[in-house]
Amino acid sequence: MQQGTQPYHPPQAYPSPPGGTQGGQQRPGQQTAAGAAVRRPRTGATTQPRTRKARLRVAKADPWSVMKVSFLLSIALGICTIVAAAVLWMVMDAMGVFSTVGGTISEATGSNESNGFDLQSFLSLPRVLLFTSVIAVIDVVLATALATLGAFIYNLSAGFVGGVELTLAEDE
């Protein structure tokens, strides 16, 4: 680089005033390079934050990705169902609900020869968790299949009407 050259200044968006000065006087910190003044913002000017908006259209939903996401979400829902059933059973057992209701049912169904229906052995924790697990597995299979089928149906209908239009906004 040669020593006599000026530093590079990119082209300005607005033309500079004649003579490279504003109001006939040069401001401090303002440089002129080949008759072009560096534009400085006006003092006291308020800038409003802009919101950028983009209109997008969902034209196709990939059935494979819908299946993977729905499978993972339905597994999470199944785990939450099993945990909720276990916690609910433990709370009801600690409150004595099974013993109270079980005693009432065994008195109502019992006779002189038999003790009646034993609710506590029928609604034991392992049996409740087994039943809840079966329901959760069925839910995983059905939710995954229905979501994938929904993606295929959406793709067919989006081919006719163009899909769903979304307006996304970003604050700057």
Side-chain angles (χ1 to χ4, degrees):
M1 188 182 267
Q2 297 175 350
Q3 290 182 351
T5 60
Q6 295 285 333
Y8 173 74
H9 295 287
Q12 299 297 313
Y14 300 100
S16 63
T21 61
Q22 290 183 343
Q25 297 178 355
Q26 177 128 2
R27 293 183 183 167
Q30 189 176 21
Q31 299 174 356
T32 58
V38 176
R39 187 169 191 274
R40 303 183 75 199
R42 292 178 286 157
T43 57
T46 59
T47 58
Q48 297 287 334
R50 295 186 319 160
T51 302
R52 294 183 350 180
K53 292 184 180 179
R55 292 188 67 176
L56 301 173
R57 186 174 43 134
V58 181
K60 183 178 184 275
D62 184 33
W64 177 249
S65 65
V66 169
M67 186 183 77
K68 290 188 293 186
V69 169
S70 66
F71 178 70
L72 289 177
L73 290 177
S74 60
I75 283 179
L77 181 66
I79 291 171
C80 289
T81 302
I82 293 170
V83 169
V87 168
L88 183 64
W89 189 92
M90 289 179 200
V91 167
M92 290 176 68
D93 188 45
M95 290 173 49
V97 171
F98 295 125
S99 61
T100 305
V101 174
T104 306
I105 289 177
S106 65
E107 283 180 20
T109 60
S111 62
N112 292 337
E113 298 87 32
S114 67
N115 292 336
F117 182 72
D118 188 13
L119 182 68
Q120 288 177 318
S121 66
F122 182 73
L123 290 180
S124 64
L125 181 61
R127 184 174 279 185
V128 168
L129 289 182
L130 179 68
F131 180 73
T132 306
S133 298
V134 168
I135 296 297
V137 167
I138 292 171
D139 176 54
V140 167
V141 172
L142 285 178
T144 303
L146 288 175
T148 307
L149 181 66
F152 279 114
I153 292 172
Y154 176 80
N155 289 339
L156 287 175
S157 64
F160 292 121
V161 296
V164 176
E165 287 190 14
L166 302 171
T167 300
L168 303 177
E170 177 186 21
D171 292 334
E172 287 185 2

